[in-house]
Amino acid sequence: MCIRDSVKKLILTASGGPFRGKSKSELEKVTLEETLKHPTWAMGQVVTINSATLMNKGLEVIEAHLLFGIDFKDIEVVVHPQSIVHSMVEFVDGSTMAQASPPNMKVPIALALSWPDRLENISPAIDWNKASNWNFEQVDEKVFSALNVARKAGQAAGTAPAVMNAANEECVASFIERKLSFLSIVEIVNKVLEKHISSGQFISNSDLTIDKLFAADKQARVDTKQLISEVSK
């Protein structure tokens, strides 16, 4: 059996962001300032907002599918508020291997730049002699629906993921400018994505070119801005 055949599923962890455990009604009037108060990471406005909606994890699900050839149904997302375990691989024999390190972006950035080597003294390691609790929780996808939207885009493939990403970028920018509510971000992204997939503008993988990709991105931004203007009235 090759290594790929021994993998049962991938598990990606999400911190849950600042709104972990909140209901949809509690998120209706959250502010930009509240959204940017991430409990474990310092990542800048855009990534922090994506973490709050879980769109960042939706993008990671698509990336994992493309990088490792794992079916979407075999890529699971769980909430891990401590942000120490970053991903896991579950094997067919029931064992699981976890990648764990303190929440510090220096480690993944350094590894990306130095692969296959590892640079020394990038970040303090986990102190295994210090007592700590690691919690894992199910994602409430009824409240944080970005994961469903991302799976829809990833399974459609072609221009769909680019359209989703473009729509999200426009919505996040409008949220930062206080022109859009928090919940409207994913709602509008989903509308733009569904319109694209069901229209003649959708391009499948077999016909995809870089020019068609850029055209889909551009049109998605136009469609998103139109919806934002309607919601903002």
Side-chain angles (χ1 to χ4, degrees):
M1 179 184 290
C2 68
I3 294 177
R4 173 63 187 85
D5 291 336
S6 67
V7 174
K8 184 175 182 180
K9 65 179 177 180
L10 302 183
I11 302 99
L12 305 179
T13 61
S15 68
F19 304 134
R20 179 174 64 91
K22 298 289 187 183
S23 66
K24 204 159 188 176
S25 61
E26 289 176 304
L27 298 179
E28 287 179 354
K29 295 184 179 180
V30 297
T31 65
L32 174 63
E33 289 74 18
E34 290 171 325
T35 307
L36 293 176
K37 290 180 179 178
H38 199 286
T40 53
W41 292 97
M43 304 176 288
Q45 286 187 323
V46 173
V47 179
T48 301
I49 294 168
N50 284 342
S51 177
T53 63
L54 262 68
M55 183 60 77
N56 69 324
K57 211 53 51 178
L59 290 166
E60 287 180 27
V61 167
I62 296 174
E63 290 168 357
H65 166 73
L66 294 173
L67 285 171
F68 305 115
I70 304 293
D71 195 282
F72 282 101
K73 67 179 177 59
D74 298 324
I75 303 174
E76 185 178 346
V77 177
V78 298
V79 174
H80 171 51
Q82 291 79 21
S83 301
I84 295 173
V85 175
H86 306 293
S87 60
M88 293 173 275
V89 180
E90 182 181 310
F91 297 96
V92 293
D93 61 1
S95 64
T96 301
M97 292 183 66
Q99 193 280 323
S101 64
N104 188 326
M105 286 303 296
K106 291 180 180 179
V107 173
I109 292 171
L111 187 58
L113 294 173
S114 63
W115 178 264
D117 300 318
R118 289 182 181 268
L119 304 178
E120 295 184 9
N121 302 317
I122 296 300
S123 172
I126 297 170
D127 185 351
W128 297 103
N129 293 306
K130 184 178 179 180
S132 63
N133 292 316
W134 293 0
N135 304 99
F136 299 92
E137 307 165 4
Q138 185 176 18
V139 177
D140 187 345
E141 295 195 22
K142 290 184 179 179
V143 177
F144 300 96
S145 57
L147 287 174
N148 287 324
V149 175
R151 290 191 193 98
K152 186 191 306 180
Q155 289 169 337
T159 47
V163 164
M164 181 194 75
N165 181 68
N168 183 65
E169 287 182 355
E170 294 297 331
C171 286
V172 168
S174 290
F175 178 68
I176 292 172
E177 294 172 359
R178 305 178 195 274
K179 297 178 181 178
L180 197 64
S181 69
F182 178 79
L183 289 177
S184 293
I185 295 173
V186 177
E187 289 173 359
I188 290 178
V189 170
N190 186 48
K191 288 180 180 178
V192 173
L193 176 64
E194 289 193 335
K195 176 184 176 183
H196 177 75
I197 292 174
S198 62
S199 73
Q201 296 173 342
F202 172 74
I203 307 296
S204 65
N205 280 352
S206 60
D207 296 320
L208 196 61
T209 65
I210 191 66
D211 289 337
K212 291 177 181 178
L213 200 61
F214 281 134
D217 177 286
K218 183 177 180 179
Q219 184 59 51
R221 294 178 190 276
V222 171
D223 293 341
T224 303
K225 289 176 180 177
Q226 176 62 38
L227 285 174
I228 291 172
S229 68
E230 293 173 3
V231 171
S232 302
K233 289 180 180 177

